[in-house]
Amino acid sequence: MAKPPPPLSPGVYLVATPIGNLEDITERARRVLEECDLIACEDTRHTGRLLSRLGIKKPLVSYHEHNEARRAGELAGRALGGERVAVVSDAGTPGVSDPAYRVVRAAIEADVQVVPVPGPSSVLAALTASGLPTDSFVFEGFLPPKGRRRLQKIEALLDEERTVVVFESPHRVTRLVSEIADLAPARPLALAREITKLHEEILRDEAQGLADALRDKRIKGECVLLIGPKRMEKTED
């Protein structure tokens, strides 16, 4: 008979949570959330609903971009004082394009153990299903929303010899695909939205073809856009 896992020791636990499908919660993530002393989260209402569905009751502390500098030290201090602090994002793996990085740095500086509890990630889910090379890739998070900096970033990413993964809002993703099509119409792209959710969809095409397909399409939900490496672009002889 397998021995039960040892009780959690004090520290900061980075707990990945489902990005849509509740079945993706791991047994370890559930156990950490059940045994921790408090949970730091981006949105207490969102995390509260998740915990309710899991049948877990724990104190919640808000931790987001507007209070991260102050809260990071507080959370590290509580872990240093002997508490087990779980950190979650609204969905997926904390620390990937969200404020959890600061609490990790504060914990390390306070000599507090940081424990990753891996699980769902929209970056990896979209990448592996994209059909684009996975041996080498770069994650860029969200691009600048407008202006010259946005165009410069897109131009730089199109020079990449690795698959590029970016997040984009559903309100701007059609424009992003069109911007890429203007610069590199034959570049292979994949647009993944609502990963693991009821209306999951992955569109794969060259940039111009995808731009044409999205022109009259209303995009909803969380979006991940993947840009194939420069070497994959077809050029005319």
Side-chain angles (χ1 to χ4, degrees), residues 17-25 53 91-92 119-126 128-129 192-202 222 224:
T17 55
I19 56 179
N21 193 321
L22 190 61
E23 293 180 41
D24 291 335
I25 191 77
R53 295 176 67 185
S121 166
S122 60
V123 173
L124 295 180
T128 54
R193 70 175 194 89
E194 295 290 82
I195 294 294
T196 80
K197 299 177 182 178
L198 179 62
H199 299 293
E200 176 179 290
E201 180 179 41
I202 303 177
E222 301 298 323
V224 183

CSV table of all heavy atoms in Angstrom, one decimal, residues 17-25 53 91-92 119-126 128-129 192-202 222 224:
chain,number,residue,atom,x,y,z
A,17,THR,N,-3.7,25.7,-12.1
A,17,THR,CA,-5.1,25.4,-12.0
A,17,THR,C,-5.7,25.3,-13.5
A,17,THR,O,-5.1,25.8,-14.4
A,17,THR,CB,-5.9,26.5,-11.3
A,17,THR,OG1,-5.7,27.8,-11.9
A,17,THR,CG2,-5.5,26.5,-9.8
A,18,PRO,N,-6.9,24.7,-13.6
A,18,PRO,CA,-7.4,24.5,-15.0
A,18,PRO,C,-7.6,25.7,-15.7
A,18,PRO,O,-8.0,26.8,-15.2
A,18,PRO,CB,-8.8,23.8,-14.7
A,18,PRO,CG,-8.6,23.1,-13.4
A,18,PRO,CD,-7.7,24.0,-12.6
A,19,ILE,N,-7.4,25.7,-17.1
A,19,ILE,CA,-7.6,26.8,-17.9
A,19,ILE,C,-9.0,26.8,-18.5
A,19,ILE,O,-9.4,27.6,-19.3
A,19,ILE,CB,-6.5,26.9,-19.0
A,19,ILE,CG1,-6.5,25.6,-19.9
A,19,ILE,CG2,-5.2,27.2,-18.4
A,19,ILE,CD1,-5.5,25.6,-21.0
A,20,GLY,N,-9.8,25.8,-18.2
A,20,GLY,CA,-11.2,25.7,-18.7
A,20,GLY,C,-11.9,24.5,-18.2
A,20,GLY,O,-13.0,24.5,-17.6
A,21,ASN,N,-11.2,23.3,-18.4
A,21,ASN,CA,-11.8,22.0,-18.0
A,21,ASN,C,-11.4,21.6,-16.6
A,21,ASN,O,-10.2,21.4,-16.3
A,21,ASN,CB,-11.4,21.0,-19.0
A,21,ASN,CG,-12.2,19.7,-18.9
A,21,ASN,OD1,-12.5,19.3,-17.8
A,21,ASN,ND2,-12.5,19.1,-20.0
A,22,LEU,N,-12.3,21.5,-15.7
A,22,LEU,CA,-12.0,21.2,-14.3
A,22,LEU,C,-11.4,19.9,-14.1
A,22,LEU,O,-10.7,19.6,-13.1
A,22,LEU,CB,-13.3,21.3,-13.4
A,22,LEU,CG,-13.1,21.2,-11.9
A,22,LEU,CD1,-12.3,22.4,-11.4
A,22,LEU,CD2,-14.5,21.2,-11.2
A,23,GLU,N,-11.6,19.0,-15.1
A,23,GLU,CA,-10.9,17.7,-15.0
A,23,GLU,C,-9.4,17.7,-15.0
A,23,GLU,O,-8.7,16.8,-14.7
A,23,GLU,CB,-11.5,16.8,-16.1
A,23,GLU,CG,-12.9,16.4,-16.0
A,23,GLU,CD,-13.4,15.5,-17.1
A,23,GLU,OE1,-12.6,14.6,-17.5
A,23,GLU,OE2,-14.5,15.7,-17.7
A,24,ASP,N,-8.9,18.9,-15.5
A,24,ASP,CA,-7.4,19.0,-15.6
A,24,ASP,C,-6.8,19.3,-14.3
A,24,ASP,O,-5.5,19.4,-14.2
A,24,ASP,CB,-7.1,20.1,-16.6
A,24,ASP,CG,-7.5,19.7,-18.0
A,24,ASP,OD1,-7.5,18.5,-18.3
A,24,ASP,OD2,-7.7,20.6,-18.8
A,25,ILE,N,-7.5,19.5,-13.2
A,25,ILE,CA,-6.9,19.7,-11.9
A,25,ILE,C,-6.1,18.4,-11.5
A,25,ILE,O,-6.6,17.3,-11.6
A,25,ILE,CB,-7.9,20.1,-10.8
A,25,ILE,CG1,-7.2,20.5,-9.5
A,25,ILE,CG2,-8.9,18.9,-10.5
A,25,ILE,CD1,-6.7,21.9,-9.6
A,53,ARG,N,-16.2,24.6,-6.3
A,53,ARG,CA,-16.5,23.4,-7.1
A,53,ARG,C,-15.6,22.3,-6.7
A,53,ARG,O,-16.0,21.1,-6.8
A,53,ARG,CB,-16.2,23.8,-8.6
A,53,ARG,CG,-17.2,24.8,-9.2
A,53,ARG,CD,-16.8,25.1,-10.6
A,53,ARG,NE,-17.0,24.0,-11.5
A,53,ARG,CZ,-16.7,24.1,-12.8
A,53,ARG,NH1,-16.1,25.2,-13.3
A,53,ARG,NH2,-16.9,23.0,-13.6
A,91,ALA,N,-6.1,31.3,-14.2
A,91,ALA,CA,-6.2,30.0,-15.0
A,91,ALA,C,-4.8,29.7,-15.4
A,91,ALA,O,-4.0,30.5,-15.8
A,91,ALA,CB,-7.1,30.1,-16.2
A,92,GLY,N,-4.4,28.4,-15.4
A,92,GLY,CA,-3.1,28.0,-15.9
A,92,GLY,C,-2.0,28.0,-14.8
A,92,GLY,O,-2.3,28.0,-13.6
A,119,GLY,N,1.1,21.8,-13.9
A,119,GLY,CA,-0.2,21.4,-14.4
A,119,GLY,C,-0.6,22.1,-15.7
A,119,GLY,O,0.3,22.4,-16.6
A,120,PRO,N,-1.9,22.5,-15.9
A,120,PRO,CA,-2.3,23.1,-17.1
A,120,PRO,C,-1.6,24.4,-17.5
A,120,PRO,O,-1.2,25.2,-16.7
A,120,PRO,CB,-3.8,23.4,-16.8
A,120,PRO,CG,-4.2,22.5,-15.8
A,120,PRO,CD,-3.0,22.3,-14.9
A,121,SER,N,-1.3,24.5,-18.8
A,121,SER,CA,-0.7,25.7,-19.4
A,121,SER,C,-1.2,25.9,-20.8
A,121,SER,O,-1.1,25.0,-21.7
A,121,SER,CB,0.8,25.5,-19.4
A,121,SER,OG,1.4,26.5,-20.2
A,122,SER,N,-1.8,27.1,-21.1
A,122,SER,CA,-2.3,27.3,-22.4
A,122,SER,C,-1.2,27.4,-23.4
A,122,SER,O,-1.3,27.1,-24.6
A,122,SER,CB,-3.2,28.6,-22.4
A,122,SER,OG,-2.4,29.7,-22.0
A,123,VAL,N,0.0,27.9,-23.0
A,123,VAL,CA,1.1,28.0,-23.9
A,123,VAL,C,1.5,26.6,-24.4
A,123,VAL,O,1.6,26.4,-25.6
A,123,VAL,CB,2.4,28.6,-23.1
A,123,VAL,CG1,3.6,28.6,-24.0
A,123,VAL,CG2,2.0,30.0,-22.7
A,124,LEU,N,1.7,25.7,-23.5
A,124,LEU,CA,2.1,24.3,-24.0
A,124,LEU,C,1.0,23.6,-24.7
A,124,LEU,O,1.3,22.9,-25.7
A,124,LEU,CB,2.6,23.5,-22.8
A,124,LEU,CG,3.9,24.1,-22.1
A,124,LEU,CD1,4.3,23.2,-21.0
A,124,LEU,CD2,5.1,24.2,-23.2
A,125,ALA,N,-0.2,23.8,-24.2
A,125,ALA,CA,-1.3,23.1,-24.9
A,125,ALA,C,-1.5,23.5,-26.3
A,125,ALA,O,-1.6,22.7,-27.3
A,125,ALA,CB,-2.6,23.3,-24.1
A,126,ALA,N,-1.4,24.9,-26.5
A,126,ALA,CA,-1.5,25.4,-27.9
A,126,ALA,C,-0.3,25.0,-28.8
A,126,ALA,O,-0.5,24.7,-29.9
A,126,ALA,CB,-1.7,26.9,-27.8
A,128,THR,N,1.7,22.4,-28.6
A,128,THR,CA,1.8,21.0,-29.0
A,128,THR,C,0.7,20.6,-30.0
A,128,THR,O,0.9,19.7,-30.8
A,128,THR,CB,1.7,20.1,-27.7
A,128,THR,OG1,0.5,20.4,-27.0
A,128,THR,CG2,2.9,20.2,-26.8
A,129,ALA,N,-0.4,21.3,-30.0
A,129,ALA,CA,-1.4,21.0,-31.0
A,129,ALA,C,-1.4,21.9,-32.3
A,129,ALA,O,-2.2,21.7,-33.2
A,129,ALA,CB,-2.8,21.2,-30.3
A,192,ALA,N,-5.1,29.4,-31.5
A,192,ALA,CA,-5.8,28.5,-30.6
A,192,ALA,C,-6.7,29.4,-29.6
A,192,ALA,O,-6.1,30.3,-29.0
A,192,ALA,CB,-4.8,27.7,-29.8
A,193,ARG,N,-7.9,29.1,-29.5
A,193,ARG,CA,-8.8,29.8,-28.6
A,193,ARG,C,-9.6,28.9,-27.8
A,193,ARG,O,-10.0,27.8,-28.2
A,193,ARG,CB,-9.6,30.9,-29.3
A,193,ARG,CG,-10.7,30.3,-30.2
A,193,ARG,CD,-11.6,31.3,-30.8
A,193,ARG,NE,-12.8,30.7,-31.3
A,193,ARG,CZ,-13.9,30.6,-30.6
A,193,ARG,NH1,-14.0,31.0,-29.4
A,193,ARG,NH2,-15.0,30.0,-31.2
A,194,GLU,N,-10.0,29.3,-26.6
A,194,GLU,CA,-10.8,28.5,-25.7
A,194,GLU,C,-10.3,27.1,-25.5
A,194,GLU,O,-11.0,26.2,-25.4
A,194,GLU,CB,-12.3,28.5,-26.2
A,194,GLU,CG,-13.0,29.8,-26.3
A,194,GLU,CD,-13.3,30.4,-24.9
A,194,GLU,OE1,-12.4,31.0,-24.3
A,194,GLU,OE2,-14.4,30.2,-24.5
A,195,ILE,N,-9.0,27.0,-25.3
A,195,ILE,CA,-8.3,25.7,-25.1
A,195,ILE,C,-8.9,25.0,-23.9
A,195,ILE,O,-9.1,25.6,-22.8
A,195,ILE,CB,-6.8,25.9,-24.9
A,195,ILE,CG1,-6.2,26.4,-26.2
A,195,ILE,CG2,-6.1,24.6,-24.6
A,195,ILE,CD1,-6.3,25.4,-27.4
A,196,THR,N,-9.3,23.8,-24.0
A,196,THR,CA,-9.9,22.8,-23.1
A,196,THR,C,-11.3,23.2,-22.7
A,196,THR,O,-12.0,22.5,-22.0
A,196,THR,CB,-9.1,22.7,-21.7
A,196,THR,OG1,-9.4,23.9,-20.9
A,196,THR,CG2,-7.6,22.6,-21.9
A,197,LYS,N,-11.9,24.2,-23.4
A,197,LYS,CA,-13.3,24.6,-23.1
A,197,LYS,C,-14.2,24.1,-24.1
A,197,LYS,O,-13.8,23.4,-25.1
A,197,LYS,CB,-13.4,26.1,-23.0
A,197,LYS,CG,-12.5,26.8,-21.9
A,197,LYS,CD,-12.6,28.3,-21.9
A,197,LYS,CE,-11.7,28.9,-20.8
A,197,LYS,NZ,-11.7,30.3,-20.8
A,198,LEU,N,-15.5,24.3,-24.0
A,198,LEU,CA,-16.5,23.7,-24.8
A,198,LEU,C,-16.3,24.1,-26.3
A,198,LEU,O,-16.5,23.3,-27.2
A,198,LEU,CB,-17.9,24.1,-24.3
A,198,LEU,CG,-19.1,23.6,-25.2
A,198,LEU,CD1,-19.2,22.1,-25.1
A,198,LEU,CD2,-20.4,24.2,-24.6
A,199,HIS,N,-16.0,25.4,-26.5
A,199,HIS,CA,-15.8,25.9,-27.9
A,199,HIS,C,-14.4,26.0,-28.3
A,199,HIS,O,-14.0,26.9,-29.1
A,199,HIS,CB,-16.5,27.2,-28.0
A,199,HIS,CG,-18.0,27.2,-27.7
A,199,HIS,ND1,-18.9,26.5,-28.5
A,199,HIS,CD2,-18.7,27.7,-26.6
A,199,HIS,CE1,-20.1,26.6,-28.0
A,199,HIS,NE2,-20.0,27.3,-26.8
A,200,GLU,N,-13.6,25.0,-27.9
A,200,GLU,CA,-12.1,25.0,-28.3
A,200,GLU,C,-12.0,25.0,-29.8
A,200,GLU,O,-12.7,24.2,-30.5
A,200,GLU,CB,-11.5,23.8,-27.7
A,200,GLU,CG,-10.0,23.6,-28.1
A,200,GLU,CD,-9.4,22.3,-27.5
A,200,GLU,OE1,-9.2,22.4,-26.3
A,200,GLU,OE2,-9.2,21.3,-28.2
A,201,GLU,N,-11.1,25.8,-30.3
A,201,GLU,CA,-10.9,25.8,-31.8
A,201,GLU,C,-9.4,26.2,-32.0
A,201,GLU,O,-8.8,27.0,-31.4
A,201,GLU,CB,-11.8,27.0,-32.3
A,201,GLU,CG,-11.7,27.1,-33.8
A,201,GLU,CD,-12.6,28.2,-34.4
A,201,GLU,OE1,-12.7,29.3,-33.7
A,201,GLU,OE2,-13.2,28.0,-35.4
A,202,ILE,N,-8.8,25.5,-33.0
A,202,ILE,CA,-7.5,25.7,-33.5
A,202,ILE,C,-7.5,25.9,-35.0
A,202,ILE,O,-7.9,25.0,-35.7
A,202,ILE,CB,-6.5,24.6,-33.1
A,202,ILE,CG1,-6.5,24.4,-31.6
A,202,ILE,CG2,-5.1,25.0,-33.5
A,202,ILE,CD1,-5.6,23.3,-31.1
A,222,GLU,N,-10.3,33.4,-24.7
A,222,GLU,CA,-8.8,33.5,-24.6
A,222,GLU,C,-8.1,33.0,-25.8
A,222,GLU,O,-8.5,31.9,-26.3
A,222,GLU,CB,-8.3,32.8,-23.4
A,222,GLU,CG,-8.9,33.2,-22.0
A,222,GLU,CD,-8.6,34.7,-21.7
A,222,GLU,OE1,-7.5,35.1,-22.0
A,222,GLU,OE2,-9.5,35.3,-21.2
A,224,VAL,N,-4.4,32.3,-28.1
A,224,VAL,CA,-3.0,32.1,-28.2
A,224,VAL,C,-2.6,32.0,-29.6
A,224,VAL,O,-3.2,31.2,-30.4
A,224,VAL,CB,-2.5,30.8,-27.5
A,224,VAL,CG1,-1.0,30.7,-27.5
A,224,VAL,CG2,-3.0,30.8,-26.0
